Amino acid sequence: INGDYETAKEMAKTNIDVFLAEDYDAIVVACGTCGLSLKEEYAELLEDDPLYQEKAKRLSAKVKDITEIIISLGGYEEKMGNLNYKVTYHDPCHLVRGMKVKAEPRKLISSIPGVELKEMKKPDACCGGGGSFSLYHYDLAKKVNDRKVEDIKETGADIIVTGCSLCRMHIMDGLNRNSVYGNIIHT
């Protein structure tokens, strides 16, 4: 566990107040880690403050990943252009295990005309980034990442898609270290 908890608590309270000041239907996130913080970790961080813990729980109910929103709204399929690529998807730990978002990114990717979704063996296996884990334990993180890169290579995908900026950076590091070149896209 890292960080300045007192400042984090103050920032969480400020964010909660800003988000709850209006009656939004949803708080849309494009990052599994940020989404999980809003959805679960704020309530944990503020467990010693009953008022803000309750507010954090109200906020939690509104937090949605961008893919959940796009899929729920529908109509996006008609607006897609054709892309002739093999694509694989890496499930970020915080998105798939934390926010429980798994099907929506795949549905969105698969709906793109011309795209062939090539699942890797273990799409939900950690890439080794793990927040600050890769900063403090880079040698171990590289080993985990090398397995992810092998799984990616076996798909023959032209493009790798993920919903986490840290996963994107860490996977890119692994691809570069292993001389695997391709495109990686953060959803």
Side-chain angles (χ1 to χ4, degrees):
I1 297 177
N2 296 308
D4 174 357
Y5 283 98
E6 292 312 308
T7 301
K9 286 178 182 183
E10 291 306 312
M11 292 175 73
K13 288 176 182 180
T14 299
N15 287 339
I16 289 168
D17 288 340
V18 168
F19 284 127
L20 294 181
E22 300 291 330
D23 188 26
Y24 298 116
D25 295 328
I27 309 298
V28 183
V29 297
C31 169
T33 301
C34 296
L36 185 60
S37 290
L38 295 170
K39 196 163 187 71
E40 291 184 11
E41 292 172 358
Y42 276 10
E44 292 171 16
L45 181 66
L46 299 167
E47 65 188 356
D48 61 345
D49 185 330
L51 174 66
Y52 271 93
Q53 187 179 44
E54 184 276 326
K55 286 182 174 186
K57 289 178 181 177
R58 281 191 309 168
L59 176 67
S60 171
K62 295 179 181 240
V63 176
K64 303 287 182 201
D65 182 66
I66 183 87
T67 60
E68 292 177 289
I69 296 295
I70 292 169
I71 297 299
S72 72
L73 292 175
Y76 58 89
E77 300 94 336
E78 300 87 43
K79 298 176 179 151
M80 299 250 188
N82 191 57
L83 296 173
N84 293 312
Y85 292 106
K86 290 183 206 159
V87 174
T88 194
Y89 179 74
H90 164 70
D91 288 292
C93 294
H94 290 139
L95 188 60
V96 71
R97 287 190 246 325
M99 291 184 66
K100 311 289 188 257
V101 174
K102 184 171 183 141
E104 294 85 352
R106 287 168 172 78
K107 185 171 183 180
L108 190 58
I109 293 164
S110 296
S111 69
I112 301 169
V115 165
E116 179 185 356
L117 180 61
K118 303 285 286 183
E119 289 282 4
M120 57 185 97
K121 277 193 262 185
K122 296 179 182 178
D124 62 349
C126 183
C127 70
S132 61
F133 179 83
S134 62
L135 298 174
Y136 293 101
H137 308 283
Y138 186 63
D139 288 338
L140 180 55
K142 282 192 312 187
K143 291 177 184 175
V144 173
N145 195 0
D146 288 344
R147 280 186 283 215
K148 177 57 73 172
V149 169
E150 282 304 313
D151 283 353
I152 291 168
K153 281 176 26 181
E154 288 178 14
T155 68
D158 305 303
I159 296 174
I160 305 117
V161 177
T162 188
C164 173
S165 296
L166 177 69
C167 292
R168 179 188 185 280
M169 287 186 329
H170 198 61
I171 291 171
M172 280 297 292
D173 176 58
L175 294 171
N176 288 328
R177 281 185 304 96
N178 288 283
S179 300
V180 178
Y181 302 101
N183 296 308
I184 187 164
I185 298 172
H186 175 245
T187 58

